[in-house]
Amino acid sequence: MELFERTASELSSMLKNKECSSVEIIESIYNRIDKVEDKVNSYITLCKETAIEKAKEVDNAIADGKELSSLAGIPIAVKDNISTKGIKTTCASKMLENYIPPFNATVVDKINAADMVITGKVNMDEFAMGSSTENSYFKKTRNPHDTDRVPGGSSGGSAAAVAAGEAIVSLGSDTGGSIRQPSSYCGVIGLKPTYSSVSRYGLVAFASSLDQIGPIGRSVEDVAMLYSAICGGDKMDATSKMREYPDFKAGLSADVSGLKIGIPAEYYGEGIDDSVKAAVMNAVKELEKNGAVVKNISLPSTEYAIKAYYIISSAEASSNLARFDGVKYGYRAKDYTTLVDMYEKTRSEGFGDEVKRRIMLGTFVLSSGYYDAYYKKAKLLQQKIKQEFNDTFNDVDVIITPTAPAKAFKIGENSDNPLKMYAADVCTVPVNIAGLPGLNIPCGSDNGMPIGLQIIGKEFSEQTLFNAAYAYEKTMGNLCKIPSLD
Amino acid sequence: MDIDIKYIAKLSRISINPEDEAKFEKNMQEIVDMVNGMPEINDDLILDKNNAMTLREDIAETGKFTREELMKNAPEVQAGCLLVPKTVE
Amino acid sequence: MNNNYEMVVGLEVHAELNTASKIYCSCKNAFGLEVNSQVCPICMGMPGTLPTLNEKVVEYAIKMGHALNCKINSVCKQDRKNYFYPDLPKAYQISQAEVPLCENGHLDIMVDGKTKTIGVTRIHIEEDAGKLLHDDSFAGSLVDLNRCGVPLIEIVSEPDIRSVAEAKAYLETIRSILQYINISDCKMQEGSIRCDVNVSVHKIGEPFGTRCEMKNVNSFSAAIRGIEFEANRQIEVLENGGVIEQETRRWDDAKGESILMRTKENANDYRYFPEPDLLTIVVDEEKIAELKNSLPELPNAKLRRYVDEFGISQNDGALIAESVEKAKLFDEAVALKKGTPKGIIKWILGDISKYINETGKSVSDMKVTPERLAELVGIIESGQISNASGKIVFETMLTEDKGVSEIIKEKNLSQNSNTDELEALAKVVLAQNEKSVTDYKGGKTNALGFLVGQCMKASKGQANPGMMRDIVIKLLSE
């Protein structure tokens, strides 16, 4: 078995037992990248030199018998909307094609402090707006399980890199499903953490009140470890919560006896493929066999979540992306006359169509005369949806739903139809609207394409989600098999 | 309700070339129709007292960044300033 | 202004707060440093950066709220005001829209002896923008972001102001309060207080007219000129049968006129919405009370005390009370109970104010301490030296670091109040002026003045004039 195929926890103990070196691990990763990257297109920027430097440091530290974190020497890919000092951070946009941040995102400082090795910056939908990674200005990432299909999005690069063995783990960001849906399409494990549990400082904002950075990996242990490394309150992010966060890996337990699982009818209705429903319900049965208790529940406001989501996220985006005006950084149009002309040309040439659509929708719902009818109504709806979830969690410990309505679609299939594209988020957006944690785990396949289920819990109940997933993983064995891509 | 794409584009400082206007207008209208039809909620937005933030201590920090590294990404810099088209005649 | 009309004015005062750091980042809050030297990724609006609210900004705003008798909203939030301009890096200003920190207050102002109450609608916190520099040697405008994120409070008045004099009094009172509670430097030339002005006019007895907003008013004197101009402009329009359109105008102080910026139709659409990067501002009631108790005695209260306790005139009292430094000097000198308050105030408003205006010095860097001022006034009032000598002592004190008695001795200015000596001297003088003595006794009373004058002369001006006069009269009546 090659090093790139192993999980972080396996590699961690191999490093401790001197069965391999960090440099060998990173070389194995780059060999894999050399072999498959032209088929997958996960990466926008590779950081081979700095990565090998870092790996050497780790090896020396181990040789000197230093006490290192369990993630030391583990290769990690970082989504290209997470600021890395001295390394291009493009958000897959022409607007930031050559932008090099002078500072690190807080999560990047944390993974550096844990001595993880950054392999490079991975592809995404432009400014994280999309569900297929087709909206990248640079390249279309392909699904490692079928390169004619999309990897999902917006964190398509993060999911595909891990699924293809081009990274051991990765960081993505999730505003409406951007970690869970691509994880589902690529057959890996991805967590959208509780809002406020991971610092957003340095994450280029799409929708501030919904964005969360989260971990992706090929085992529950790996995802739990990485989440432990990145979570925690941050003085630089006023919306992050200062509280005690446990060691989630140490807390893992496969015992689900008595765990109350809610199955909300609204997530299994029309528009969800039968193959998906079947795969999810089989997984639920497995947990039931392990002693979990299944309850049928209802979340009636679900159908409205997607409306509220597109209003709130677009409103915030229209404001967050206004700073890209060709003055301080990023792209500036070549020929212009006045200031306004410079603004308009710069933004029209620098942004792709989907980004323009969202900016204009957001501008519209906030514009005078429409605020109450759209933005305010959406916020009220958000209050209601939160309340519905909170009430439900008085009766159940977790909620299990499909992560996506169907397996990964073909590249180009939905490109010209924004609404069909948005439908891919229908199961994931309510979780962001409510600020809750959601975890995707693979639970079967449809003609070789992975299908994922989503475990939703109450605020800060990540340990419960990990344990449910861990129990399923223990029953089924390895959930994330790397395709050969030969 | 029809959306005034020209006004919204202007407000967004985005110019749409005429040939794309129809397409954008159609897309936008579809999206707006999609988000329409939210239920009436006779409730008001509550300012969440329990969602308070910690404020920052008033201490000035200097010398963390040089002007050069902060301006490195700027399209046009002159005399240590960002250069933009004249804002007054 | 045309007497058939009345003006209705509302003022929005923006004051920069003198905190150590900026409102949303830890950059130094300082004026006049090298361009773009007080900037960081946050106030430069770099992608991924987030604001963190400076606690002092909240405290300062609440202090002002108390000083202006406002209701303090212990739970409030911040909102984004969206618009594109090169001096606004994020393309939105973090401000407060729906729920300001303070609201429903009022302020008493003094206009020619009469007190008037002006309503204060609200006080909210927000961030300042950067500066645009225009210089023909460059192909465009230059952007300096040092001022981005400098904390501001905006104080919005009700449209209760009816004259230029009231506007002036309101602005000066606001400034003096800002200085008393020491939350702003109030340096006009540095633009640390600016205002927007709302003006409308109407025929007396008729309903209010349509208001125009005037922006870019960078000093209080400019505000006064602007209000005057705008009111007259509107009256002229009406007198010529025109109508006033609701519009935003820009005040050009150099040209002394307001220019149309935008009409109501193309008014800015700021798309305000709650700032998602900041959570709720919650200030506990103890803190709010503590801030109230921390306020010093404010100018209006001082004035009332001066008038009631010391019988000082409204005008003199106001002149002292509106200046933090003069009031401090006065209060400290009075507390020493050497000179009378009225005597002390005469010196502060007279020679001291004159000296300060001429030299541009501040009271604190004057060698005349409260102790010395009180001592000087005391000695004059006790008759130990004459007023004339007092002035000499004062002049000397300004330049030389010496005490009052020391100077009196040096220049030997003390008055002779010794009865025997003065009587002896008077006898000699009368003997030398028999003619005048007989004239006086013959009824020519005005001879008295001449004789007293001669005695004073003989004493080289050191005789106590009052005593000298009494002695001469006594001797003549013998």
Side-chain angles (χ1 to χ4, degrees), chain A residues 201-414:
Chain A
Y201 191 80
L203 169 68
V204 179
F206 161 12
S208 314
S209 70
L210 304 170
D211 298 341
Q212 270 295 280
I213 295 171
I216 295 174
R218 292 192 303 262
S219 80
V220 175
E221 264 188 356
D222 286 11
V223 173
M225 269 199 287
L226 184 50
Y227 179 56
S228 281
I230 60 170
C231 69
D234 177 12
K235 289 208 306 302
M236 301 296 278
D237 177 358
T239 64
S240 70
K241 274 255 182 345
M242 302 287 175
R243 71 199 299 276
E244 274 307 312
Y245 294 84
D247 176 339
F248 294 97
K249 186 190 176 189
L252 282 178
S253 149
D255 177 10
V256 289
S257 49
L259 180 80
K260 292 199 230 58
I261 300 173
I263 304 297
E266 293 77 7
Y267 288 77
Y268 295 84
E270 55 164 307
I272 310 291
D273 280 8
D274 294 339
S275 58
V276 172
K277 293 180 200 167
V280 174
M281 287 320 292
N282 287 335
V284 172
K285 283 196 190 67
E286 288 300 328
L287 291 169
E288 218 172 358
K289 284 188 210 148
N290 285 286
V293 185
V294 177
K295 291 186 72 179
N296 289 320
I297 58 165
S298 171
L299 293 163
S301 299
T302 302
E303 59 167 315
Y304 299 120
I306 197 115
K307 298 173 189 286
Y309 170 77
Y310 276 94
I311 291 167
I312 294 166
S313 64
S314 303
E316 291 180 10
S318 70
S319 176
N320 285 333
L321 273 64
R323 72 188 61 200
F324 301 105
D325 58 3
V327 174
K328 307 152 295 274
Y329 39 70
Y331 179 77
R332 178 188 282 196
K334 295 290 151 286
D335 319 301
Y336 48 82
T337 54
T338 62
L339 176 71
V340 172
D341 188 44
M342 188 276 276
Y343 281 156
E344 292 184 345
K345 288 207 171 82
T346 295
R347 292 168 60 78
S348 305
E349 297 165 16
F351 289 137
D353 285 357
E354 181 59 19
V355 172
K356 289 179 198 170
R357 275 194 288 269
R358 306 251 192 149
I359 289 175
M360 288 195 287
L361 175 64
T363 304
F364 169 68
V365 298
L366 289 174
S367 62
S368 74
Y370 295 105
Y371 181 89
D372 287 359
Y374 290 99
Y375 186 79
K376 190 170 176 208
K377 231 175 175 184
K379 292 298 277 187
L380 284 167
L381 210 45
Q382 177 177 34
Q383 262 174 215
K384 196 166 190 289
I385 292 164
K386 275 187 181 156
Q387 198 47 53
E388 239 173 57
F389 271 108
N390 292 342
D391 297 347
T392 308
F393 284 119
N394 296 330
D395 308 334
V396 301
D397 302 313
V398 297
I399 294 168
I400 291 182
T401 75
T403 304
K407 63 175 194 259
F409 48 87
K410 284 235 162 55
I411 290 169
E413 199 179 320
N414 295 345

Side-chain angles (χ1 to χ4, degrees), chain C residues 59-79:
Chain C
E59 289 175 15
Y60 283 11
I62 291 174
K63 277 184 164 189
M64 194 59 179
H66 283 313
L68 300 185
N69 315 291
C70 291
K71 162 176 177 288
I72 311 298
N73 292 318
S74 59
V75 180
C76 65
K77 64 180 175 67
Q78 302 206 254
D79 303 273

Side-chain angles (χ1 to χ4, degrees), chain A residues 83 96 99 102-103 195 200-205 208-209 235-239 315-316 319-320 322-324 328-329 339 343 347 363 366-368 371 375, chain C residues 41-42 44-53 80 82 84-92 98 143 145 269-279:
Chain A
S83 303
L96 290 178
Y99 171 68
F103 65 98
Y195 185 79
R200 292 184 296 114
Y201 191 80
L203 169 68
V204 179
S208 314
S209 70
K235 289 208 306 302
M236 301 296 278
D237 177 358
T239 64
E316 291 180 10
S319 176
N320 285 333
R323 72 188 61 200
F324 301 105
K328 307 152 295 274
Y329 39 70
L339 176 71
Y343 281 156
R347 292 168 60 78
T363 304
L366 289 174
S367 62
S368 74
Y371 181 89
Y375 186 79
Chain C
I42 298 170
M44 205 181 157
M46 281 201 166
T49 57
L50 297 170
T52 53
L53 178 57
R80 287 186 186 180
N82 297 284
F84 289 86
Y85 209 60
D87 64 6
L88 193 68
K90 301 189 298 305
Y92 56 82
E98 285 165 68
V143 190
L145 300 177
D269 189 339
Y270 289 121
R271 290 156 285 135
Y272 282 98
F273 74 104
E275 168 56 88
D277 287 329
L278 295 171
L279 305 180

